Amino acid sequence: MGSTRPQRLLRAVQKNSTRGDPQSVISAIDHFCRHKEWAMNVGDEKGSILDGVVSEVNPSTALELGTYCGYSTVRIARLLPPGSQLITLEFNPAYAAVAKQVIAWAGLQDKVQLVEGPSGDLIPQMKELFGVKSFDLVFIDHWKDRYLADAQLLEECGLLRKGSVLLADNVICPGTPEYLEYVRNSPRYESRYFKSHLEYTQAEDGLEKSVFLG
Ligand SMILES: C[C@H](C[C@H]1O[C@@H](n2cnc3c(N)ncnc32)[C@H](O)[C@@H]1O)NC(=O)c1cc(-c2ccc(F)cc2)cc(O)c1O
Ligand SMILES: [Mg+2]
């Protein structure tokens, strides 16, 4: 049984980065995806926009939907203030196993709770599982046709407060039209588009930042 792309990505991290150095892990993954094998990480260009939003929000509790190999998990966790927590949900066990090792290699395991399972089942359990009152920041990067349902589920579960920020990847490519329509037209959100490119390509893509108004 040959290796999978996530496993090859993990090997590239262990070979080309320094344990405990998140920036070197990020650079190793970007180099692997640009020069060896494309993979669906948010990437360096959109990643810089993500960094800016994380720094601006300075979240004490953050949620990520769709861990994949843990690239954006590392990007977010490396910027979190001491005592803050990032919960990341991934339903593919093979991806979760790789992400766990990438996060540990970066030395960020104490800031991250990686939970295996589908977001639709796990979001309603956030309060009881982790004592979460509300999320200051949610990075949405999972199945593109789950973005709207899960944003509304977060609202219904009382997991958003006035000022909570939703940051959604891939709103152009592969695209999330119904989510975009909702956050851009709902009086409950103040939404803004950050134009960029699909990771490691020239295709257009972007991030949508939506502030929940309560
Ligand atoms: C969906 C994936 C990301 C991960 O999300 C997990 N997942 C899913 N649904 C759930 C859930 N309901 N709960 C928890 N986890 C969940 C999954 O297992 C993947 O690991 N992301 C993408 O498919 C993705 C695709 C592209 C892309 C763009 C152009 C192309 F030509 C081809 C692909 C770019 C991107 O930037 C992406 O992000
Ligand atoms: Mg994405």
Side-chain angles (χ1 to χ4, degrees):
M1 161 74 172
S3 68
T4 65
R5 178 167 309 179
Q7 285 169 331
R8 293 192 293 274
L9 181 149
L10 172 62
R11 255 206 325 275
V13 165
Q14 293 166 334
K15 180 164 172 281
N16 305 316
S17 73
T18 307
R19 187 194 286 272
D21 175 355
Q23 191 51 57
S24 74
V25 170
I26 292 164
S27 301
I29 293 173
D30 286 330
H31 188 275
F32 175 79
C33 294
R34 203 173 277 288
H35 302 290
K36 296 283 187 315
E37 300 184 58
W38 186 91
M40 55 187 173
N41 317 117
V42 73
D44 47 354
E45 193 180 308
K46 288 186 289 178
S48 300
I49 300 168
L50 169 63
D51 289 356
V53 174
V54 174
S55 301
E56 174 199 5
V57 176
N58 204 34
S60 49
T61 314
L63 174 67
E64 176 179 59
L65 305 180
T67 316
Y68 186 43
C69 293
Y71 173 89
S72 47
T73 319
V74 168
R75 286 202 83 110
I76 296 166
R78 85 191 200 288
L79 299 174
L80 292 182
S84 52
Q85 272 285 309
L86 169 61
I87 297 168
T88 183
L89 311 183
E90 173 53 55
F91 82 0
N92 179 312
Y95 294 164
V98 165
K100 203 173 179 66
Q101 294 175 78
V102 167
I103 294 159
W105 184 270
L108 294 166
Q109 66 285 349
D110 295 345
K111 288 181 175 289
V112 177
Q113 300 270 9
L114 169 52
V115 189
E116 261 184 66
S119 53
D121 297 352
L122 292 171
I123 287 170
Q125 299 179 53
M126 285 295 108
K127 296 198 175 198
E128 67 186 295
L129 281 180
F130 300 106
V132 171
K133 280 195 310 302
S134 62
F135 290 109
D136 305 308
L137 172 69
V138 183
F139 181 54
I140 310 175
D141 193 21
H142 60 337
W143 282 158
K144 310 313 160 192
D145 61 6
R146 281 284 325 171
Y147 282 32
L148 178 54
D150 284 346
Q152 291 173 327
L153 187 58
L154 285 162
E155 289 177 31
E156 286 150 23
C157 294
L159 286 165
L160 301 181
R161 48 115 177 130
K162 193 172 168 49
S164 290
V165 172
L166 303 187
L167 187 66
D169 189 26
N170 309 118
V171 296
I172 303 299
C173 177
T176 63
E178 57 171 19
Y179 172 80
L180 271 190
E181 203 272 332
Y182 177 71
V183 289
R184 290 177 173 176
N185 296 303
S186 165
R188 305 186 76 182
Y189 291 92
E190 185 59 47
S191 211
R192 177 185 161 195
Y193 175 60
F194 291 77
K195 184 176 169 29
S196 184
H197 295 94
L198 176 68
E199 47 268 28
Y200 318 115
T201 77
Q202 314 264 329
E204 182 180 345
D205 189 20
L207 302 175
E208 187 81 4
K209 178 191 171 195
S210 307
V211 182
F212 187 63
L213 303 174

